[in-house]
Amino acid sequence: MSVQFNTKHLSKFVAEHEFEAIWPQVQQAHKQLEEKSGPGNDFLGWMYQPRDYDKEEFARIQAAAKKIREDSDVLVVAGIGGSYLGARAVIEAVKGIYHNELQDGLKIYFCGNSISPSYLNNILEICRGKRFSINVISKSGTTTETSLAFRVLRKLLEEQVGAEEANKRIYATTDRARGTLKELADKQGWETFVVPDDIGGRYSVLSAVGLLPIACADIDINALMQGAADAMEKFSNDRADNDAYRYAAARNILYRKGKSVEIMECYEPDYTMMNEWYKQLFGESEGKDQKGVYPASCILSTDLHSMGQFIQDGARVMFETVVDVKKPASDLYLEELEGNFDGLNFLANQNMSVVNRKAMEGTILAHIEGGVPQLMIEVDDLSAYNVGYLIYFYWRACACSGYLLSVNPFNQPGVESYKKNMFALLGKPGYENLTAELEAKLK
Ligand code: PA5
């Protein structure tokens, strides 16, 4: 099986009867999902999307990606949160973090995911004088970070190739019918793709939101969808051997024992952005009503040299979920060094992946000794198929986990608070009363 949840290192912390005890609640959560009777039930479009996705749009995505790969040196993707993380996570997991440096042809960069002028200046510098296209992604069409970056990029594109040609190089992924971006796209004649109404940002990576940039990276999006579809078949039931639900159950059992932080860990740096995607998925889904497991992440062994001390020995608030990638994208044979000047010949005559694996095994045992519960998600490799499979695994687990916590896993009311304050401080019309109040607080 390509993705498996393994609790072999958990027995010191959670007994099998605890899974049995929580299972009726898991079954209830499953029923709420399948019957669409739980909170947030108008955002369940992801559940059967790997089977029911819009095939006509999928073909248009493939055609657009082909055109972009042929007529552009650079694709800039402008989006934030759910309109950014999934695409970048899949691209870096499948193609590696150095895909732009190592892959011939189209380079892909992301922006609109911060308000940093220096970051945006770097992106502009990369695009200047190059043949570039823009994929602007925003469900609402009004997100400040995205709109600001897009405004600046569009100006550069129009200056370089003229308004008419620019219109052929801008692709807008947004609401099917509404919003500022949709209106502008229709007016300018940009090709548009849809963020489905019943799919929230953090569940949108297998819609055009993720698929267009991913296809542009020359990743087989058929394989990605097939992986998700096979996971959908595997995890859409309430049997006791459903790994996605067992993972959700384990998280909640540990949470109820006071473990309020989950550290998602992987020994492959290419997984860094998958961790970021996981953090949004679970953070926005569960962190509400003063509840939730705080999703954190580490890349190991890298972060053992920064966070290792805390995990081994600090406040006992966390559990770890290790993503065990069985086969790295490539391996490296370690040869013996004559003279053994660095004292490392004990590592020689084997693949480096063996060393990485021993580091993982040693760390798991040390952290168990330190009192940190260990969960494992095993995946054969980071192929497009398996990454699609993983995405669906996390989706199902997250939805169930949210219902086990008795929160609405599909809304994000807390995200609005900072925007309100930011707009007031920037003097956006309509926020005048709040402006004075906030400025007084900042004095
Ligand atoms: O999950 C979410 O809903 C958010 O992270 C959004 O994706 C993010 O705020 C971007 O929103 P939009 O796509 O409307 O620009």
Side-chain angles (χ1 to χ4, degrees):
M1 196 201 301
S2 48
V3 174
Q4 227 167 343
F5 178 61
N6 191 326
T7 53
K8 72 179 175 187
H9 294 300
L10 195 60
S11 55
K12 194 173 156 195
F13 306 94
V14 177
E16 197 51 41
H17 69 80
E18 294 179 83
F19 280 97
E20 284 159 26
I22 202 174
W23 209 255
Q25 293 167 47
V26 170
Q27 288 174 313
Q28 176 61 21
H30 174 73
K31 195 159 172 262
Q32 285 179 299
L33 286 170
E34 293 299 324
E35 291 180 354
K36 296 190 186 324
S37 58
N41 55 4
D42 41 355
F43 284 98
L44 296 178
W46 56 271
M47 276 174 53
Y48 292 96
Q49 184 198 26
R51 179 192 67 199
D52 299 338
Y53 65 90
D54 181 341
K55 312 291 183 301
E56 182 273 331
E57 186 181 61
F58 192 84
R60 271 198 312 117
I61 289 169
Q62 286 176 308
K66 184 167 179 289
K67 174 180 177 296
I68 293 168
R69 288 185 62 77
E70 281 166 5
D71 71 10
S72 306
D73 304 313
V74 173
L75 170 69
V76 187
V77 183
I80 193 166
S83 293
Y84 150 65
L85 286 162
R88 185 163 168 197
V90 172
I91 292 170
E92 295 195 3
V94 177
K95 289 279 175 178
I97 51 177
Y98 294 117
H99 61 94
N100 278 333
E101 289 78 7
L102 294 174
Q103 190 172 284
D104 287 339
L106 187 73
K107 314 295 176 206
I108 302 178
Y109 295 94
F110 293 88
C111 71
N113 51 5
S114 76
I115 317 178
S116 159
S118 40
Y119 184 97
L120 191 55
N121 270 327
N122 286 341
I123 298 289
L124 291 170
E125 208 46 50
I126 287 166
C127 293
R128 204 161 274 129
K130 303 244 175 58
R131 301 178 308 156
F132 78 98
S133 295
I134 306 170
N135 180 199
V136 53
I137 308 174
S138 178
K139 186 175 188 178
S140 62
T142 53
T143 301
T144 310
E145 289 89 339
T146 306
S147 306
L148 205 51
F150 177 55
R151 166 197 279 222
V152 174
L153 278 164
R154 183 183 164 203
K155 182 166 176 283
L156 176 67
L157 185 60
E158 288 181 350
E159 280 167 7
Q160 285 193 182
V161 298
E164 199 183 327
E165 178 59 23
N167 286 340
K168 296 180 192 151
R169 291 173 168 273
I170 296 174
Y171 302 80
T173 307
T174 188
D175 190 88
R176 186 183 303 279
R178 291 180 303 264
T180 319
L181 183 57
K182 175 65 181 160
E183 278 168 32
L184 191 60
D186 287 347
K187 190 165 146 246
Q188 298 297 123
W190 303 332
E191 178 154 22
T192 58
F193 297 96
V194 172
V195 189
D197 284 341
D198 56 355
I199 292 183
R202 56 192 176 273
Y203 277 84
S204 69
V205 56
L206 299 183
S207 72
V209 171
L211 291 179
L212 180 57
I214 292 167
C216 285
D218 205 20
I219 290 171
D220 181 355
I221 56 173
N222 277 304
L224 184 76
M225 292 304 276
Q226 190 58 52
D230 289 351
M232 181 192 78
E233 288 299 325
K234 186 82 190 162
F235 301 130
S236 302
N237 64 72
D238 65 357
R239 289 197 308 267
D241 65 351
N242 181 330
D243 273 354
Y245 287 167
R246 273 181 70 80
Y247 169 50
R251 302 176 83 250
N252 279 269
I253 293 168
L254 290 166
Y255 179 64
R256 292 172 196 182
K257 292 183 180 198
K259 303 296 181 192
S260 57
V261 176
E262 176 179 38
I263 311 178
M264 189 63 59
E265 294 172 351
C266 186
Y267 286 71
E268 289 298 333
D270 290 343
Y271 204 79
T272 304
M273 289 305 298
M274 282 296 286
N275 276 343
E276 296 305 311
W277 174 83
Y278 140 81
K279 277 153 57 175
Q280 189 208 3
L281 179 64
F282 280 81
E284 274 191 354
S285 298
E286 292 193 325
K288 50 199 73 160
D289 306 336
Q290 291 76 55
K291 290 191 275 190
V293 176
Y294 183 86
S297 69
C298 282
I299 291 297
L300 306 182
S301 64
T302 315
D303 295 334
L304 289 175
H305 298 261
S306 58
M307 297 306 292
Q309 170 62 34
F310 194 110
I311 298 170
Q312 186 69 43
D313 217 14
R316 303 295 73 191
V317 292
M318 80 287 276
F319 60 96
E320 291 171 288
T321 301
V322 179
V323 179
D324 175 9
V325 179
K326 301 282 181 197
K327 191 167 173 283
S330 68
D331 217 326
L332 185 68
Y333 188 75
L334 299 171
E335 290 169 5
E336 228 171 271
L337 181 69
E338 207 184 316
N340 193 21
F341 300 117
D342 53 10
L344 290 179
N345 271 355
F346 75 101
L347 299 178
N349 303 315
Q350 62 187 347
N351 284 328
M352 196 162 159
S353 62
V354 177
V355 182
N356 205 18
R357 178 154 298 278
K358 295 300 165 200
M360 182 186 84
E361 291 168 354
T363 305
I364 288 171
L365 296 179
H367 289 181
I368 291 173
E369 277 298 301
V372 185
Q374 303 287 309
L375 309 179
M376 289 189 85
I377 297 169
E378 298 173 326
V379 55
D380 290 344
D381 59 28
L382 295 179
S383 64
Y385 175 89
N386 284 334
V387 170
Y389 205 106
L390 263 175
I391 286 168
Y392 195 89
F393 168 86
Y394 279 117
W395 279 354
R396 264 285 166 179
C398 184
C400 175
S401 190
Y403 281 161
L404 288 175
L405 263 178
S406 302
V407 298
N408 176 352
F410 304 109
N411 66 1
Q412 54 282 332
V415 177
E416 294 311 310
S417 302
Y418 96 90
K419 292 185 193 165
K420 204 170 61 171
N421 287 356
M422 179 176 78
F423 291 149
L425 291 170
L426 286 167
K428 186 173 177 178
Y431 291 80
E432 292 80 1
N433 291 344
L434 190 57
T435 309
E437 188 189 317
L438 294 181
E439 280 176 350
K441 281 185 187 169
L442 284 174
K443 277 190 183 134

